[in-house]
Amino acid sequence: GDSVTQMEGPVTLSEEAFLTINCTYTATGYPSLFWYVQYPGEGLQLLLKATKADDKGSNKGFEATYRKETTSFHLEKGSVQVSDSAVYFCALSERTGTASKLTFGTGTRLQVTL
Amino acid sequence: GAGVSQTPSNKVTEKGKYVELRCDPISGHTALYWYRQSLGQGPEFLIYFQGTGAADDSGLPNDRFFAVRPEGSVSTLKIQRTERGDSAVYLCASSFSDTPNTEAFFGQGTRLTVV
């Protein structure tokens, strides 16, 4: 079945550091790929998405490129801020039958310090 | 508000009791999903509704779990004879359609604790 593997956290960075959170996936077809973020005390929010190979999703300075050849969707940001501290989830969605449900990774907690 | 609303936000129940968790999706969203998130894990799919019907309930762990959406809007997740292993955050999400690249909007979840 479908699965998503992402790097374990927590990841602790100083403000303005470069961020990479690795994500790889296994899927039988051609999934859409997502990064969701969960800020403290809030619900899951879509951060960015990519729907086909070589697409780049971007939002709030974060980027991720859909790499079909390496089945990866790594999240990057050039300069993190304290306000980026949150839990980040990589996910895929592959239409199976009549449903289009999300399969999530286990999440990576990011802590950014001054 | 305009977001997905889940009630209650917290629920503590005794082992063996029955609980109902409610989800009020964004108005006009026909697709509704329930997920369960255990501590330190990502959300896991439970059930999906398209309109009033459960189109995919393959994620329900056993027959103690049941969900309804009688009028195609509000949904209720029902858990019978609760067990301590049912303790988790139950998340509801809704989307405008069920195509793979459509954004799903999540509620803040109901934290269920079975003691």
Side-chain angles (χ1 to χ4, degrees), chain B residues 4-5 15 18 25 28 31 35 39 41 44 47-48 52 58 60 69 72 75 82 94 100 102 105 107 112 114:
Chain B
V4 177
S5 175
K15 179 176 177 295
Y18 167 84
Y35 292 83
L39 192 63
Q41 301 297 314
E44 293 179 317
I47 188 170
Y48 155 68
T52 60
S58 61
L60 294 178
R69 195 186 185 199
S75 177
T82 52
S94 70
T102 303
F105 293 83
L112 175 66
V114 182

Side-chain angles (χ1 to χ4, degrees), chain A residues 9-15 17-19 80 108-113:
Chain A
V11 174
T12 302
L13 295 174
S14 298
E15 200 170 45
F18 183 85
L19 169 71
V80 294
T108 303
R109 180 175 300 278
L110 171 65
Q111 181 71 41
V112 181
T113 60

Side-chain angles (χ1 to χ4, degrees), chain A residues 34 49 51 98 100-102 105, chain B residues 33 35 42 48 56 98 100-101:
Chain A
F34 305 82
K49 69 180 181 183
T51 59
T98 57
S100 180
K101 57 200 181 193
L102 290 163
Chain B
Y33 304 82
Y35 292 83
Y48 155 68
D56 183 346
D98 68 347
N101 59 357

Side-chain angles (χ1 to χ4, degrees), chain A residues 83-103:
Chain A
S83 58
D84 294 327
S85 298
V87 181
Y88 293 81
F89 293 91
C90 185
L92 68 81
S93 179
E94 185 168 43
R95 186 159 192 152
T96 55
T98 57
S100 180
K101 57 200 181 193
L102 290 163
T103 300

